[in-house]
Amino acid sequence: FFIVYVIELYFLILGASLILSVLYIRFRDFSHIWEVLLQIGFWMTPIIYPITMVPEAYHRYIYLNPLARLIEYSRAVFILGHVPTFQLNAALFLIVATVLIFGIFVFLKFDKKITEWL
């Protein structure tokens, strides 16, 4: 299942990159905003800490971040040796597919205007 998570991570990054590429060109100051959002995203993603360190009431907010789901599910496969349920994997797939489709839609909508913005 780790290969599935790597593929989902690739598509998530591709969708986010397509959105960010348009935003970076359209709004010159977006790079400064993105640095702050990236720092917040880093600490909201349980990479160096387990999700169990966070109180149960905040898990809902952390799982809004699709990277948190990918990290936790990968950790479950490698460390705990079990695969998350089908519903959890389906929810992650839907989130990743939504980000990818939205990224493709945004990029194709604005790809002709990019040269005007430069």
Side-chain angles (χ1 to χ4, degrees):
F1 262 81
F2 182 69
I3 299 299
V4 173
Y5 296 140
V6 170
I7 292 169
E8 286 180 345
L9 178 64
Y10 172 76
F11 286 133
L12 180 68
I13 291 171
L14 180 63
S17 298
L18 290 172
I19 296 167
L20 289 174
S21 65
V22 172
L23 289 175
Y24 260 75
I25 293 173
R26 178 67 177 119
F27 305 107
R28 301 281 181 200
D29 293 333
F30 189 74
S31 62
H32 304 295
I33 297 168
W34 180 245
E35 289 177 15
V36 173
L37 292 175
L38 202 57
Q39 284 292 321
I40 293 169
F42 175 76
W43 292 108
M44 290 282 299
T45 306
I47 297 173
I48 56 174
Y49 62 91
I51 194 76
T52 55
M53 289 183 63
V54 179
E56 185 76 29
Y58 299 111
H59 285 197
R60 175 174 40 153
Y61 301 114
I62 290 180
Y63 282 132
L64 290 176
N65 180 0
L67 284 177
R69 289 179 184 259
L70 277 168
I71 297 295
E72 281 300 310
Y73 298 169
S74 299
R75 188 176 285 151
V77 168
F78 273 124
I79 296 174
L80 303 176
H82 71 83
V83 178
T85 64
F86 175 76
Q87 290 84 8
L88 293 175
N89 282 317
L92 177 62
F93 176 77
L94 287 175
I95 292 170
V96 170
T98 303
V99 170
L100 179 63
I101 291 169
F102 183 70
I104 291 170
F105 174 75
V106 167
F107 188 79
L108 291 177
K109 181 175 171 79
F110 294 108
D111 68 340
K112 303 288 189 239
K113 295 181 182 180
I114 288 175
T115 54
E116 297 172 9
W117 294 336
L118 292 174

